[in-house]
Amino acid sequence: MPSFRELLSTTKAEIREVDTAEADRLRHEPGAVVLDVREPDEYEQGAIPGAVHIPRGTLETGIENRVPDHDALLVVHCAGGTRSAFAAKTLAELGYTNVVSVAGGFNKWKDEGRDWALPRNLTPEQRNRYKRHVLLPEVDIEGQLKLLDSRVLLLGAGGLGSPAALYLAAAGVGTIGIIDMDVVDASNLQRQILHNVDRIGDRKVDSAKKTLTQLNPDVDVVTYDVRLGADNVMDILAGWDVIVDGTDNFPTRYLVNDASVKLGIPVVHGSIFRFEGMITVFDPTRGPTYRDMVPEPPPAEFAPSCAEAGVLGVLPGIVGSIQAIEAIKLLLGLGEPLIGRLLAYDSLEQEFREYKVRPDPANEITYDNRERIVVAELESDLCLPHPLQPAPGG
């Protein structure tokens, strides 16, 4: 039987080994991945910025989820260069074609004064709370930390805002804003699951904050117990990563549209009516907006509110949950958001349909024209102000 030294020598003869200077150069090449195969306690004491961490003991089971491209340049390191050599051989056996092991490892890298940092990590309590997220290679620790750093503003703490807020808070979105100037009424409880009978008469934003902070203490809930208007919409919307729109009237939707276009913030739009719902994403930097889909508000008799027409209580739970998914996809850059696509749901037929939403050539309220947008309120449901100021000299 060969000794360990003989086995290591044989392994190093079968792989490509580079020094730390070459590794430092290689890590900046397009598509290169620095792979750290040390143990978690070693990694937490310092790491190369941007490195993918997979302990040597779980390399075979974890690598293809984290690095699916078998032709990617993998710069593999451990503490001194031994584990990385064996890891490089294993990676070659798994079909990875461009792998190098760093001689001297992280210890030499650090001693030479090369770039390293203490990696930010989840606390033990957070690792346990978000364990099912961390198991997803598309999310992992980096994605969960990004969620904890994210800011999502919900317009309304009602039927749509309730499930969206609950799932965003449970997912660990670090800052959730809620704007609503209503109070909890007994008639809300059929669908607005943020609230309960003990809070009837309380301000909705206060009730929502109690529920969300009890669900997840990681979440900072910012409340706005005000009417959203032209005088405050820009200040309230500024600084948020994503807006989840659960409003139920056209004046507010146009107001939010114009402000979000001017600010370049994506809006996850949801609406419900009786047994049907709709969801789409309006990202002014990447696709159509609300004014492209609804250039002018319809007459009031064609768009009754839920208070007038009724709504199946569980319906906003479905629509609001999809809004939460779309918000998380936007925050983490996952999948294909509903940009330029309208998802319509019919609960009676249990059917989803998808429709294309295209930019309206006549719509001047665009991100390219953002400097000229004047955010104003509708004078009535049938009258749109012209929200563009003349161009200089025009």
Side-chain angles (χ1 to χ4, degrees), residues 67-368:
V67 187
D69 182 3
H70 282 58
D71 295 323
L73 170 58
L74 291 177
V75 181
V76 188
H77 77 86
C78 59
T82 299
R83 284 170 290 175
S84 63
F86 289 112
K89 181 179 180 181
T90 297
L91 289 166
E93 293 170 348
L94 290 172
Y96 286 87
T97 62
N98 194 5
V99 184
V100 299
S101 173
V102 182
F106 183 74
N107 291 341
K108 185 177 181 183
W109 180 284
K110 186 177 177 182
D111 290 343
E112 292 174 343
R114 300 187 186 278
D115 190 19
W116 69 280
L118 290 174
R120 185 180 169 207
N121 216 327
L122 299 173
T123 66
E125 293 79 10
Q126 289 172 331
R127 281 179 175 271
N128 185 52
R129 174 182 285 273
Y130 306 117
K131 183 177 181 180
R132 302 307 190 275
H133 272 179
V134 172
L135 290 172
L136 296 170
E138 297 85 354
V139 180
D140 201 33
I141 291 175
E142 291 80 5
Q144 189 60 55
L145 289 170
K146 190 170 184 178
L147 286 178
L148 288 164
D149 290 338
S150 296
R151 296 169 53 83
V152 176
L153 176 65
L154 291 103
L155 307 182
L160 294 175
S162 288
L166 285 167
Y167 275 110
L168 290 171
V173 172
T175 305
I176 294 177
I178 300 177
I179 179 167
D180 200 309
M181 60 174 296
D182 202 359
V183 298
V184 179
D185 185 84
S187 65
N188 302 147
L189 303 182
Q190 165 247 18
R191 65 202 177 280
Q192 299 182 15
I193 55 177
L194 274 173
H195 317 296
N196 59 52
V197 292
D198 294 331
R199 299 185 191 155
I200 292 174
D202 291 358
R203 309 303 296 181
K204 281 189 178 178
V205 291
D206 295 335
S207 173
K209 183 170 185 174
K210 290 177 183 177
T211 300
L212 298 179
T213 53
Q214 288 174 358
L215 175 64
N216 189 349
D218 285 341
V219 179
D220 179 24
V221 181
V222 180
T223 61
Y224 301 90
D225 192 355
V226 296
R227 174 188 176 274
L228 195 63
D231 60 333
N232 61 15
V233 65
M234 291 294 292
D235 290 335
I236 291 176
L237 266 57
W240 297 94
D241 299 315
V242 175
I243 298 165
V244 175
D245 180 13
T247 58
D248 61 357
N249 65 86
F250 287 101
T252 304
R253 289 173 183 169
Y254 286 107
L255 183 72
V256 170
N257 175 82
D258 297 350
S260 65
V261 171
K262 190 174 181 71
L263 293 166
I265 303 173
V267 175
V268 182
H269 171 78
S271 60
I272 51 177
F273 177 73
R274 294 173 59 85
F275 300 97
E276 301 175 358
M278 299 189 306
I279 313 98
T280 189
V281 172
F282 299 122
D283 187 338
T285 66
R286 292 195 283 168
T289 65
Y290 188 74
R291 284 186 184 268
D292 293 308
M293 186 175 77
V294 188
E296 294 187 6
E301 61 267 24
F302 293 130
S305 67
C306 291
E308 298 167 315
V311 63
L312 184 68
V314 73
L315 176 67
I318 297 169
V319 174
S321 295
I322 295 175
Q323 287 182 278
I325 291 175
E326 290 299 307
I328 289 173
K329 285 163 60 180
L330 290 170
L331 294 171
L332 297 182
L334 297 177
E336 292 295 329
L338 288 172
I339 297 173
R341 299 186 291 149
L342 177 71
L343 186 65
Y345 173 60
D346 184 334
S347 64
L348 294 182
E349 298 297 329
Q350 206 60 269
E351 181 178 63
F352 285 95
R353 292 185 179 181
E354 186 176 298
Y355 302 91
K356 293 291 184 183
V357 181
R358 294 183 172 86
D360 179 0
N363 176 25
E364 296 179 295
I365 315 306
T366 65
Y367 187 67
D368 290 341

Side-chain angles (χ1 to χ4, degrees), residues 352-390:
F352 285 95
R353 292 185 179 181
E354 186 176 298
Y355 302 91
K356 293 291 184 183
V357 181
R358 294 183 172 86
D360 179 0
N363 176 25
E364 296 179 295
I365 315 306
T366 65
Y367 187 67
D368 290 341
N369 284 337
R370 60 190 178 278
E371 298 301 329
R372 297 173 56 208
I373 295 175
V374 177
V375 178
E377 298 184 48
L378 293 180
E379 295 179 4
S380 74
D381 280 1
L382 301 179
C383 178
L384 282 173
H386 197 281
L388 279 188
Q389 61 186 4

